[in-house]
Amino acid sequence: MLCTFALAAGGLFSAPAQADINRALLNDKPAFIADVMRQMTLDEKIGQLRLISIGADMPKPQLIKEIAAGRIGGSFNTVTPAENRPLQDAAVRQSRMKIPLFFAYDVVHGHRTVFPISLAQASSWDMDAIALSARTSAVEAAADGIDMTFAPMVDITHDPRWGRTSEGFGEDPYLVSQIARVSVEALQGDRGPDGKAPIGANGVMAAVKHFALYGAVEGGRDYNVVNMNPMRMYDDYLPPYRAAIDAGAGAVMVALNSINGVPASSNTWLLQDLLRKDWGFKGLTVSDHGAIFELIKHGVASNESEAAELAIKAGIDMSMADQIYLKELPELVSSGKVPMAAIDNAVREILGAKYDMGLFHDPYLRIGDGSHDPADINAENRLHRDAARDVARKSMVLLENRAQTLPLKKTGTIALVGPLADAHIDMMGSWSAAGVARQSITLKQGLQDALAGKGKLLTARGANITEDKRIVDYLNFLNWDTPEVVQDKRKPEAMIAEAVKIAKRSDVIVAAVGEARGMSHESSSRTSLDLPANQLALLKALKKTGKPLVLVLMNGRPLALNWERENADAILETWYSGTEGGHAIADVLFGDVNPSGKLPITFPRSVGQIPAYYNHQRVGRPFTEGKPGNYTSQYFEEPNGPLYPFGYGLSYTTFALSDVALSKNTLPRDGEIEASITVKNTGKRDGATVVQLYIQDVAASVVRPVKELKDFRKVMLKAGEEQVVRFTIDESKLKFHNAQLQYVAESGDFNVEIGLDSKTVKTQKFTLQ
């Protein structure tokens, strides 16, 4: 019989005997999928390997025709039930096999409601806040008929020049691994006690990306090569992907870069030996956009046939946005160059993913009847503003606050200047999914709402994002629907003069400066980390007024802020804070919320210090702060060390730490040590901070990092309150990959370091037996 199971599940067949048979099949996933595959032709199997988007090369009528012919397995970038219902109809009503499609989208940090960018969320060090963002995003995406999201993006990066730094969660493998786990679980929802139940109607399948090592591209230049020794790969870069897979991620998006000379899309070691054999991954692998064709440009395939052969044999189940599998695989199979088993393995994983999405149980699980009024798609009542505001407030990092400039008073006069003060689209950051720019709250609106007539707000643009025409043209090219960067045509000097004029009439200046969102985006790698020159000129002119100067930074990567650090009275890092960003920033500026964010990535002093990350390996001639630097590992033109270290962030209150106490000084292999420290709020305001546990392996068989984050606690303390924070240390926290890639903990001494950032810590020592 043909696969009428999907139709029966959708209620189109009512024969009791048929329904009984279908229910029996659906209860046994392997048998069910095997039964489907036995009925499929080779062409239908190859059709399942294609993930296609509506676009100029695939208009909707053609897409429906291809689906009905059984030549497409999934679609992406169709983001409403009304769009997706006809496509699913074509699959389950018109195609011979009636196999449902799945619909995917890049829901990275929100769907209709845009949450802070991923790097900002990591700054919260708050797993509940991150889970709230992912769960809300999943609910909204599922309501629009989305079955899969290409998220979380868990690439570790040590080079902030990389434009996609904004999409990831920072530089640390432990912190990013915790976020990866939480994100996957929140996106996919409760899958039962064994984690194998189909994803529910309010969940979406997570496709963790970009596998692997994409954040380590050479020079921070997007799509570039990655060359890395295996120990570093296993200890620093691979753990977040593994954490996402162990959390049950149903899919993996494969990276565009090469790894030690072999592109990820044709890398058998990566996709077969590591991912499936060593890690036991049973899910779906998807190429990145056009990646199989790009094997030709990498130079490992001379034509499309070779590219298809390399990719399918390596383990790319599904090809995104190209025709190569459709065109080349039939002949490759008939000639014997590609075994039928390779096709079957890929189809099995695709059908398995659809099963896990619940689509064989109900092809319309997330689409519904598709009768949504298009006018309701962007309705205000669909947004989760309270959740977005809560997460945004927790994601901001106070970098400077001289003479308690912040919090501001809601009386008097505030001068708000800067190109990002009233920028709706920039509040959302890159990859803002189905978010609508006009629904985002800008800083200007946030301050106006907070003041509510109590104080006076004066505004002036002061500067464009940049006066570099090449950059402006590039940013507008990135956002091809509408110009992203609208330039004020006045001369820079006139704009600055206007800003200075209102600044002189104010009690305090708030300057919203940084990057347009397109400057922290895919393919937007930078050679400089400085503010654009015209923005810095504005700040210098404002400084000369003598009024307190508060910088509100909006950016998707660490910036080199040397002049700003020395001259601003306060600096608040807000990243791109999403739909409710303006309200959230105002909450922090006025002290309705005490900032508690900590940096998930190091801020270097200059681009010349890159790579600058806290857990670097030890060297034989280390630079020691405060001692002469001759013949040590250092730069002589500027101070060594970061501008702001990993884990750093201030508060409107102060905290003090006691010495570290260990429950014992020797750790047995099967035992544990408790490390405790007392943290006290020594200020006059309630506040939260993050207590961070680092461990240093004193002497090992290979060179080890100066320290590694192994645990953390975010604690809320009332003014004057103190709390004992306890960490458990066992052998698992001491393990690393040795020169033979064995995962071991070696006997010897270890330093326990506990602090409120990675630089200023209290230390104790213990010995592993």
Side-chain angles (χ1 to χ4, degrees):
M1 66 177 181
L2 296 180
C3 290
T4 54
F5 47 79
L7 293 175
L12 299 178
F13 286 82
S14 58
Q18 183 66 63
D20 289 342
I21 293 171
N22 291 330
R23 282 196 295 270
L25 287 171
L26 283 171
N27 288 333
D28 187 339
K29 177 181 172 181
F32 175 81
I33 291 172
D35 182 69
V36 176
M37 291 182 64
R38 279 194 295 269
Q39 302 173 61
M40 297 176 71
T41 66
L42 174 61
D43 286 346
E44 287 168 334
K45 290 179 178 179
I46 291 171
Q48 286 296 306
L49 311 187
R50 299 179 68 212
L51 180 61
I52 298 297
S53 173
I54 292 177
D57 58 341
M58 184 68 76
K60 190 171 184 178
Q62 182 182 349
L63 182 62
I64 288 177
K65 184 178 179 180
E66 290 283 291
I67 293 167
R71 290 197 289 266
I72 293 178
S75 175
F76 65 103
N77 291 343
T78 52
V79 293
T80 69
E83 287 178 303
N84 291 342
R85 177 80 192 204
L87 305 183
Q88 193 68 290
D89 285 345
V92 302
R93 294 174 185 262
Q94 299 178 43
S95 73
R96 189 185 79 90
M97 287 299 297
K98 311 296 188 290
I99 296 173
L101 297 175
F102 71 80
F103 300 94
Y105 197 41
D106 286 281
V107 182
V108 178
H109 57 100
H111 183 62
R112 297 290 172 185
T113 307
V114 180
F115 285 81
I117 61 170
S118 299
L119 192 63
Q121 292 187 39
S123 300
S124 75
W125 293 57
D126 188 321
M127 298 303 110
D128 290 338
I130 291 167
L132 175 63
S133 169
R135 184 89 286 273
T136 306
S137 301
V139 169
E140 290 186 358
D144 273 357
I146 305 302
D147 304 302
M148 175 191 286
T149 174
F150 301 126
M153 193 279 236
V154 299
D155 300 323
I156 296 290
T157 184
H158 293 158
D159 192 334
R161 291 175 296 180
W162 190 44
R164 305 191 81 163
T165 298
S166 63
E167 292 177 52
F169 299 105
E171 72 184 40
D172 181 70
Y174 179 82
L175 177 60
V176 179
S177 293
Q178 300 308 304
I179 296 172
R181 174 185 57 79
V182 165
S183 298
V184 168
E185 292 173 350
L187 287 168
Q188 297 189 160
D190 184 7
R191 300 191 62 189
D194 61 357
K196 295 182 179 179
I199 297 168
N202 287 326
V204 293
M205 179 170 283
V208 62
K209 65 183 183 184
H210 305 86
F211 191 67
L213 317 183
Y214 193 22
V217 285
E218 192 171 275
R221 195 167 69 251
D222 218 349
Y223 319 123
N224 207 359
V225 300
V226 173
N227 290 295
M228 185 181 297
N229 74 66
M231 286 186 293
R232 190 178 188 202
M233 187 186 302
Y234 273 82
D235 284 335
D236 292 351
Y237 285 85
L238 292 178
Y241 308 113
R242 178 68 184 270
I245 288 165
D246 287 348
V252 166
M253 179 188 280
V254 181
L256 293 164
N257 54 278
S258 61
I259 301 170
N260 295 338
V262 182
S265 299
S266 63
N267 198 314
T268 302
W269 168 80
L270 180 72
L271 300 178
Q272 299 288 354
D273 297 339
L274 179 67
L275 181 63
R276 297 206 182 273
K277 293 177 184 176
D278 290 355
W279 292 3
F281 179 63
K282 303 295 184 183
L284 169 65
T285 58
V286 181
S287 80
D288 206 336
H289 197 287
I292 297 177
F293 176 79
E294 290 170 14
L295 293 175
I296 300 171
K297 295 185 178 182
H298 277 289
V300 297
S302 60
N303 53 49
E304 292 185 356
S305 177
E306 289 184 5
E309 180 181 354
L310 286 171
I312 195 71
K313 285 183 175 179
I316 298 289
D317 298 329
M318 206 165 199
S319 171
M320 180 192 290
D322 65 36
Q323 306 287 333
I324 291 180
Y325 272 3
L326 181 70
K327 289 166 53 180
E328 304 296 341
L329 286 180
E331 172 60 27
L332 287 168
V333 172
S334 65
S335 69
K337 290 183 177 180
V338 170
M340 191 65 200
I343 306 296
D344 285 343
N345 288 340
V347 174
R348 189 176 298 110
E349 302 303 347
I350 293 165
L351 298 182
K354 292 180 177 182
Y355 183 99
D356 290 341
M357 293 173 195
L359 296 176
F360 283 116
H361 297 75
D362 180 0
Y364 302 97
L365 181 65
R366 298 174 186 87
I367 299 173
D369 62 11
S371 63
H372 296 63
D373 184 344
D376 293 337
I377 290 300
N378 297 322
E380 175 66 30
N381 61 13
R382 294 199 63 197
L383 301 181
H384 293 79
R385 288 192 176 274
D386 289 346
R389 187 169 180 169
D390 178 55
V391 175
R393 293 185 299 199
K394 294 173 179 175
S395 300
M396 297 175 191
V397 184
L398 183 62
L399 298 178
E400 298 290 342
N401 193 24
R402 293 186 178 87
Q404 296 182 321
T405 301
L406 296 178
L408 301 177
K409 296 178 181 179
K410 294 182 182 179
T411 56
T413 301
I414 297 172
L416 174 63
V417 301
L420 293 165
D422 198 28
H424 287 273
I425 196 168
D426 293 302
M427 297 300 296
M428 302 194 301
S430 65
W431 297 109
S432 52
V436 177
R438 60 179 167 77
Q439 292 180 326
S440 66
I441 305 299
T442 67
L443 178 55
K444 178 181 177 180
Q445 183 178 341
L447 292 179
Q448 287 173 334
D449 292 346
L451 290 171
K454 300 174 186 176
K456 189 173 183 180
L457 185 67
L458 306 177
T459 62
R461 183 173 176 88
N464 290 315
I465 283 289
T466 178
E467 294 297 334
D468 188 323
K469 185 178 183 300
R470 177 179 176 181
I471 296 175
V472 172
D473 289 345
Y474 177 73
L475 295 176
N476 287 335
F477 168 75
L478 282 179
N479 198 60
W480 53 86
D481 292 333
T482 56
E484 178 160 313
V485 179
V486 179
Q487 293 292 89
D488 190 311
K489 300 300 184 181
R490 291 177 293 168
K491 292 183 177 180
E493 297 81 5
M495 297 171 68
I496 290 176
E498 179 188 42
V500 168
K501 184 177 180 180
I502 69 160
K504 289 178 178 179
R505 296 165 49 201
S506 71
D507 299 306
V508 62
I509 304 164
V510 175
V513 294
E515 302 175 306
R517 69 169 188 163
M519 295 170 72
S520 288
H521 195 281
E522 181 177 354
S523 82
S524 293
S525 299
R526 293 187 64 187
T527 58
S528 168
L529 298 179
D530 298 331
L531 284 180
N534 62 311
Q535 292 191 48
L536 186 57
L538 168 65
L539 296 182
K540 289 180 177 180
L542 294 172
K543 177 67 177 178
K544 290 179 181 178
T545 67
K547 299 298 176 75
L549 178 61
V550 176
L551 303 189
V552 173
L553 298 176
M554 299 181 192
N555 46 292
R557 54 161 61 84
L559 299 176
L561 301 167
N562 295 283
W563 184 93
E564 297 84 344
R565 183 189 190 189
E566 293 301 318
N567 290 278
D569 296 282
I571 303 176
L572 181 65
E573 176 60 85
T574 71
W575 311 105
Y576 301 115
S577 46
T579 299
E580 276 291 302
H583 284 147
I585 297 169
D587 290 339
V588 173
L589 289 177
F590 289 117
D592 298 320
V593 171
N594 192 346
S596 60
K598 300 281 188 175
L599 293 178
I601 191 167
T602 300
F603 274 47
R605 296 177 185 274
S606 67
V607 73
Q609 284 189 328
I610 295 171
Y613 54 98
Y614 86 93
N615 56 340
H616 58 85
Q617 290 187 340
R618 294 154 72 182
V619 298
R621 294 186 179 186
F623 173 82
T624 303
E625 193 168 346
K627 294 186 178 181
N630 197 26
Y631 298 109
T632 64
S633 182
Q634 48 118 13
Y635 297 104
F636 65 81
E637 299 104 323
E638 64 184 10
N640 282 263
L643 189 68
Y644 297 110
F646 174 85
Y648 172 86
L650 302 176
S651 169
Y652 294 154
T653 189
T654 53
F655 299 94
L657 294 177
S658 70
D659 290 334
V660 177
L662 299 181
S663 59
K664 51 190 173 185
N665 295 321
T666 301
L667 175 63
R669 288 281 171 170
D670 58 352
E672 59 186 35
I673 287 177
E674 181 183 88
S676 61
I677 196 166
T678 300
V679 56
K680 183 176 182 179
N681 183 340
T682 54
K684 297 180 180 180
R685 299 174 63 100
D686 300 348
T689 191
V690 181
V691 184
Q692 304 158 35
L693 170 74
Y694 299 87
I695 293 180
Q696 181 192 59
D697 193 338
V698 175
S701 59
V702 296
V703 175
R704 300 282 292 122
V706 294
K707 65 181 69 179
E708 297 173 289
L709 181 71
K710 292 296 182 181
D711 209 343
F712 59 88
R713 300 280 189 278
K714 191 163 190 176
V715 296
M716 180 71 189
L717 297 173
K718 295 183 180 299
E721 182 184 4
E722 63 181 48
Q723 179 179 326
V724 178
V725 178
R726 306 177 192 278
F727 298 100
T728 298
I729 301 172
D730 59 18
E731 183 182 358
S732 68
K733 283 188 167 63
L734 311 179
K735 288 188 173 182
F736 66 97
H737 288 87
N738 65 16
Q740 291 74 44
L741 292 186
Q742 299 164 326
Y743 195 48
V744 299
E746 296 177 346
S747 299
D749 292 338
F750 293 82
N751 288 325
V752 177
E753 301 181 3
I754 301 179
L756 303 182
D757 61 53
S758 61
K759 184 177 180 180
T760 306
V761 295
K762 300 294 185 75
T763 305
Q764 280 285 8
K765 181 178 290 187
F766 71 90
T767 301
L768 174 66
Q769 290 181 331

